[in-house]
Amino acid sequence: MKKLSIEGLSKSFENAPVLQDVTFSVNEAEFVSILGPSGSGKSTLFHLIGGLYQPDSGSIYLDSKNVTGKRGKISYMPQSPSLFPWRTILENVLVGGEIVGQENEQEASEMIAAAGLEGYAQAYPHQLSGGMKQRASFIRSLLSPQSLICLDEPFSALDEFTRLEMQKWLLSIWEEHKRSILFVTHNIEEALFLSDRIIVLSNRPAKVKRTFHVPFDRPRKENITLTNEFLEWKKEIYNELRDML
């Protein structure tokens, strides 16, 4: 069953085309990553899905309903955690449910503990490390009532070790809750490790250049990244991107 359908989406700014006839879908409980050259319009695509921009042409469907240009239909996690500094971690993760009157403090507390943040529910964002803030931000996304989570390079600012730990944690939480996720990254290895499918965008104006169906079974362990099969897939995707440089 399709959770998200993007149909013929195009967008220009000041007569400069950014996206052109982009079409793809995300299925129920599927993890899809988007890769593309810098400036190919990945963030613009998220802004369109989130209703912040109106497309020049094309449509966006969520749960078979046309949500083109409508805000508040997705749960969005940007590159920075964007936690409210004046609210505790518990208060921050409850924001999405609070807006629609569906906050569940017990569930939030349990997820905070499960994320390794036990004892920090009443702490403030400035008291947490970067990785801890990202965990809190993702919990907020999970607890929001929207059925699709869009993650815009959420681990790009983290060091390599913390990034790997966050990837493993994200997979463990996702495999438990199985929400539909659309994930933007510049990191091929990250996309392969996390995803069911990888969509490669072309240079501007961006189109869907190729889609890769990731063959690795779940649950995934980090040592999969050292296998010959993984490295061959990484090489093939790299060559697809290199052709656009």
Side-chain angles (χ1 to χ4, degrees):
M1 178 180 175
K2 291 183 179 180
K3 173 61 62 177
L4 172 74
S5 293
I6 305 293
E7 299 181 2
L9 210 61
S10 297
K11 180 66 178 177
S12 298
F13 293 101
E14 298 180 353
N15 297 320
V18 177
L19 301 174
Q20 184 175 328
D21 196 27
V22 172
T23 297
F24 67 89
S25 62
V26 178
N27 295 323
E28 184 75 36
E30 188 180 28
F31 198 124
V32 176
S33 287
I34 295 179
L35 284 170
S38 295
S40 61
K42 298 184 294 296
S43 293
T44 297
L45 179 60
F46 268 13
H47 290 151
L48 286 164
I49 296 171
L52 299 178
Y53 298 156
Q54 185 76 30
D56 300 332
S57 61
S59 301
I60 302 165
Y61 292 89
L62 189 61
D63 295 320
S64 301
K65 297 178 181 178
N66 193 325
V67 297
T68 310
K70 297 180 180 179
R71 299 187 182 191
K73 302 301 181 181
I74 65 168
S75 179
Y76 175 67
M77 180 177 167
Q79 294 180 27
S80 59
S82 300
L83 300 173
F84 296 118
W86 61 88
R87 299 184 67 137
T88 65
I89 298 307
L90 178 60
E91 290 169 343
N92 264 288
V93 304
L94 287 170
V95 165
E98 183 180 306
I99 291 172
V100 295
Q102 296 177 6
E103 66 267 38
N104 186 328
E105 189 169 319
Q106 181 177 345
E107 182 184 16
S109 297
E110 291 171 355
M111 291 189 69
I112 288 171
L117 299 176
E118 190 168 13
Y120 288 92
Q122 299 305 319
Y124 290 87
H126 74 271
Q127 297 173 292
L128 274 62
S129 68
M132 294 166 77
K133 291 177 186 176
Q134 289 295 65
R135 293 183 187 215
S137 186
F138 184 64
I139 292 169
R140 180 176 62 188
S141 298
L142 280 174
L143 289 173
S144 295
Q146 297 88 350
S147 59
L148 175 72
I149 301 176
C150 291
L151 306 178
D152 190 356
E153 296 191 77
F155 308 142
S156 60
L158 304 177
D159 63 79
E160 187 172 351
F161 178 77
T162 304
R163 184 173 186 147
L164 177 59
E165 291 302 308
M166 287 298 300
Q167 289 168 4
K168 291 191 293 183
W169 176 80
L170 173 58
L171 274 188
S172 68
I173 296 296
W174 175 78
E175 285 166 357
E176 179 181 352
H177 294 272
K178 283 294 175 76
R179 298 278 290 278
S180 299
I181 289 181
L182 187 60
F183 186 94
V184 162
T185 178
H186 281 98
N187 190 299
I188 298 172
E189 189 168 301
E190 180 171 71
L192 270 173
F193 182 58
L194 294 174
S195 309
D196 296 308
R197 280 189 297 133
I198 297 171
I199 295 170
V200 176
L201 296 182
S202 68
N203 283 313
R204 287 192 181 191
K207 301 178 180 179
V208 174
K209 190 170 187 286
R210 188 172 174 186
T211 299
F212 293 88
H213 294 264
V214 180
F216 308 119
D217 293 334
R218 298 187 185 276
R220 294 177 188 164
K221 306 296 182 183
E222 63 180 290
N223 58 5
I224 196 175
T225 62
L226 303 177
T227 63
N228 287 332
E229 185 181 11
F230 189 95
L231 295 174
E232 286 300 316
W233 275 85
K234 183 177 178 180
K235 185 187 301 183
E236 185 172 357
I237 296 172
Y238 171 79
N239 288 334
E240 192 73 32
L241 289 166
R242 186 181 63 179
D243 289 345
M244 294 183 278
L245 298 178

